[in-house]
Amino acid sequence: MLPDGGDGNPGPVPWNVPAAPVTGVFQFDNNKTYEPDGDIEAIEQLTLQAANQRRPYLRRTVAAGGEWVFAALPKEEVLPDEPDPAANDRQLTLDGLWIGIEEEGAVAVPVPCEPVMATLVLQGGFDRVVIRHCSLDPGGEQARVDPDLCRVIPFVTLLVRGNVEELIIESSILGPIVENEVAGERGTIQKLEVRDSIIQSIDGDTLPAIRTALGQVKLERTTVFGALESNRLYASDSLIQGLVTVTDNQHGCFRFSATNDDPRLRLPQRYESHLYAPALPNHFFVSRRFGDAGFAQLSDGAPPVILRGAENRSEMGAFSGLLGPIKRDDLDAKVNEFMPFGLIAQFINET
């Protein structure tokens, strides 16, 4: 349990990050805003989580171009013929948190509002990183008080600088996930798994939603707004509104999914999948703006091959697991069975 400033303090609450080396479970027991005072260094096995039915907001303020770094404790050296000791296991779990990064001195600027990037860095060697039921703010802008001025909300990019053996994203909303490409500080994601989640790049012209050079990407029931670049791809029941380029298309699969059609498109073997030229239309979604009630939900304007195109005949994308179309069929059957004669049922979808 972490200090929350007491019932008389509505927040934001200053949070002194744990001193290195860091291990254990740290829990936020309310919905307040917390302001971390620095990077989290020398992580061994760390869990930052929200209490049940709580959604704390972690807001890190950095200088322009700054980063919030989660760094793994360096591992002990092991001889080639010796097993890796359990003490060398490096794990990080983020569960139930809303994470944002702001620039110091940021003010409202004249329209138009250009996207601004903030960076959350995974540094060093991690065996496993799990991000579950979290939102790493994909960015946008605050509600305007003056129609001629806008206040940018930076989009948080998850940047890997080092090596992550396994990166698991579950039931979350994230900005871009990329590897560091700077010589001498290159990053590698060996295996990226994304399930029941939304990945968005609002600066899609310059930054893909997912970019890994050598790793394997596995998508299950996921919606991606932006390009995807990877070595190998296994995608199922997913929507990718962006250009997909896979280096090794002899392995992997693209099944019960849909993406943009493009001359540069490079996919692994396809099965029951669909391509839309020049791109998946925006009207397939209720909204593409984070914060809207219908964010990333499929609209009634989407075709049946998308609305019922998943392997189990539910919808494709991040909401596939809710089984909305299947539940609607059950409701239709009951209404037709018990509706009084002469009445017509009207269904209104709620976002």
Side-chain angles (χ1 to χ4, degrees):
M1 177 176 172
L2 294 164
D4 61 4
D7 294 337
N9 182 0
V13 179
W15 175 42
N16 298 322
V17 300
V22 186
T23 190
V25 178
F26 296 81
Q27 178 168 293
F28 299 87
D29 287 331
N30 51 52
N31 298 322
K32 294 183 179 181
T33 297
Y34 289 82
E35 296 184 329
D37 63 355
D39 298 332
I40 303 179
E41 301 177 339
I43 295 172
E44 293 181 289
Q45 297 186 28
L46 171 65
T47 297
L48 296 178
Q49 67 181 26
N52 191 33
Q53 302 296 319
R54 296 293 181 263
R55 189 68 163 179
Y57 179 42
L58 274 61
R59 183 180 64 195
R60 177 83 166 101
T61 302
V62 300
E67 305 169 335
W68 190 14
V69 178
F70 287 69
L73 181 71
K75 296 186 177 185
E76 301 175 7
E77 293 187 8
V78 180
L79 296 176
D81 58 344
E82 293 182 354
D84 197 27
N88 266 354
D89 191 30
R90 301 289 180 260
Q91 297 196 26
L92 171 65
T93 300
L94 305 177
D95 193 344
L97 308 175
W98 182 7
I99 296 175
I101 301 177
E102 295 187 358
E103 289 187 356
E104 292 178 353
V107 295
V109 297
V111 295
C113 247
E114 298 295 334
V116 173
M117 184 176 74
T119 310
L120 190 152
V121 178
L122 298 178
Q123 183 168 292
F126 284 97
D127 295 280
R128 183 180 175 91
V129 176
V130 179
I131 301 176
R132 182 188 303 119
H133 303 297
C134 287
S135 294
L136 272 61
D137 204 317
E141 63 175 270
Q142 296 181 2
R144 297 184 186 180
V145 177
D146 185 332
D148 296 324
L149 296 175
C150 59
R151 177 71 181 271
V152 178
I153 300 174
F155 64 91
V156 178
T157 297
L158 185 64
L159 177 71
V160 174
R161 182 185 297 148
N163 181 67
V164 176
E165 294 288 339
E166 192 175 27
L167 176 57
I168 309 296
I169 313 295
E170 295 180 343
S171 303
S172 296
I173 301 173
L174 273 73
I177 304 171
V178 298
E179 297 169 338
N180 193 34
E181 297 182 338
V182 178
E185 294 185 336
R186 297 191 66 88
T188 303
I189 305 171
Q190 299 291 345
K191 185 177 182 180
L192 170 62
E193 293 190 11
V194 187
R195 296 186 284 268
D196 304 294
S197 297
I198 303 165
I199 312 297
Q200 181 179 37
S201 173
I202 62 172
D203 192 13
D205 293 336
T206 59
L207 188 65
I210 298 175
R211 183 176 63 207
T212 68
L214 302 175
Q216 170 183 304
V217 176
K218 183 177 181 181
L219 304 179
E220 295 181 348
R221 302 174 301 278
T222 294
T223 299
V224 178
F225 295 127
L228 186 152
E229 304 170 10
S230 69
N231 182 41
R232 293 184 180 179
L233 173 65
Y234 298 81
S236 182
D237 302 336
S238 296
L239 294 172
I240 306 174
Q241 193 186 44
L243 173 64
V244 180
T245 51
V246 178
T247 304
D248 181 4
N249 63 356
Q250 300 301 309
H251 297 85
C253 61
F254 191 77
R255 59 195 296 273
F256 300 103
S257 299
T259 188
N260 297 0
D261 195 3
D262 189 284
R264 299 164 294 170
L265 176 70
R266 187 176 173 89
L267 288 173
Q269 297 182 46
R270 294 170 51 200
Y271 179 76
E272 293 288 336
S273 58
H274 306 276
L275 304 179
Y276 288 85
L280 279 171
N282 286 338
H283 72 260
F284 282 12
F285 304 94
V286 176
S287 172
R288 294 181 73 257
R289 179 180 177 273
F290 176 65
D292 289 346
F295 176 56
Q297 291 186 19
L298 291 179
S299 70
D300 292 337
V305 293
I306 300 295
L307 290 170
R308 296 177 179 272
E311 184 175 10
N312 62 358
R313 293 305 172 231
S314 182
E315 65 185 80
M316 295 179 182
F319 298 93
S320 178
L322 298 180
L323 305 178
I326 297 173
K327 294 176 181 177
R328 170 67 181 270
D329 288 344
D330 291 343
L331 181 60
D332 283 342
K334 292 299 181 184
V335 168
N336 290 333
E337 182 178 357
F338 295 105
M339 175 69 71
F341 181 76
L343 298 181
I344 299 175
Q346 181 177 9
F347 296 96
I348 300 175
N349 293 325
E350 182 177 280
T351 57

